[in-house]
């Protein structure tokens, strides 16, 4: 299976437009995350999220980096905001489903996986999601 970097998740989000300040902060935060500087990345992406609170991609980034930093409740809040802002975000639903599993929230995880499947992911990712749904039943 392909190894994903934090920035690669955002290639799935395509076509998102951010305010200049938020975009710059987000780009810098993602660069720091890819360089293995998770705590510095979290600070930068929090600033980006504060500058663009209604941007789903920024909320998704905050969720992913908070998750990388083991800040599970912050990750949950950010990812839940992301799916509210963009109910078609494969990246946010995938990440939220994985987080719910980690938090042992079976029904919520199953629901997030099913929503992810409804968004027509690639065949490889769809198979992964189906295995998760089956395991959660």
């Amino acid at each position: 299976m392909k190894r994903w970097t934090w920035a690669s998740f955002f290639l799935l989000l395509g076509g998102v437009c951010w305010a200049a300040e938020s975009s710059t902060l987000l780009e810098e935060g993602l660069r720091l995350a890819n360089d293995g500087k998770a705590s510095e990345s979290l600070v930068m992406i929090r600033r980006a999220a504060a500058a663009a609170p209604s941007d789903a991609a920024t909320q998704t980034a905050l969720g992913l980096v908070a998750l990388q930093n083991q800040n599970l409740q912050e990750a949950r809040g950010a990812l839940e905001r992301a799916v509210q802002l963009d109910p078609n975000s494969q990246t946010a639903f995938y990440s939220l489903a994985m987080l719910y599993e980690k938090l042992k929230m079976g029904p919520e995880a199953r629901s997030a996986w099913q929503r992810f499947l409804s968004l027509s992911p690639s065949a490889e990712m769809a198979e992964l999601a189906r295995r998760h749904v089956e395991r959660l039943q």
Side-chain angles (χ1 to χ4, degrees), residues 84-129:
Q84 287 175 345
L85 292 166
D86 182 1
N88 296 314
S89 173
Q90 289 183 11
T91 304
F93 275 104
Y94 174 88
S95 303
L96 189 57
M98 294 294 280
L99 176 61
Y100 282 154
E101 282 191 40
K102 186 174 185 89
L103 295 172
K104 302 198 183 317
M105 299 172 65
E108 292 85 352
R110 189 171 39 258
S111 177
W113 280 121
Q114 289 169 336
R115 178 64 182 136
F116 175 76
L117 278 167
S118 76
L119 296 171
S120 302
S122 69
E124 181 181 10
M125 295 303 287
E127 181 55 34
L128 173 73

Side-chain angles (χ1 to χ4, degrees), residues 8 30 33 47 53 84-85 105-106 123 136:
S8 3
L30 292 173
R47 289 178 54 205
Q84 287 175 345
L85 292 166
M105 299 172 65
L136 290 165

Side-chain angles (χ1 to χ4, degrees), residues 59-76:
Q59 292 300 318
T60 301
L62 177 58
L64 291 169
V65 174
L67 183 57
Q68 182 183 27
N69 280 276
Q70 296 301 310
N71 190 335
L72 303 182
Q73 292 309 315
E74 182 174 17
R76 179 181 173 191

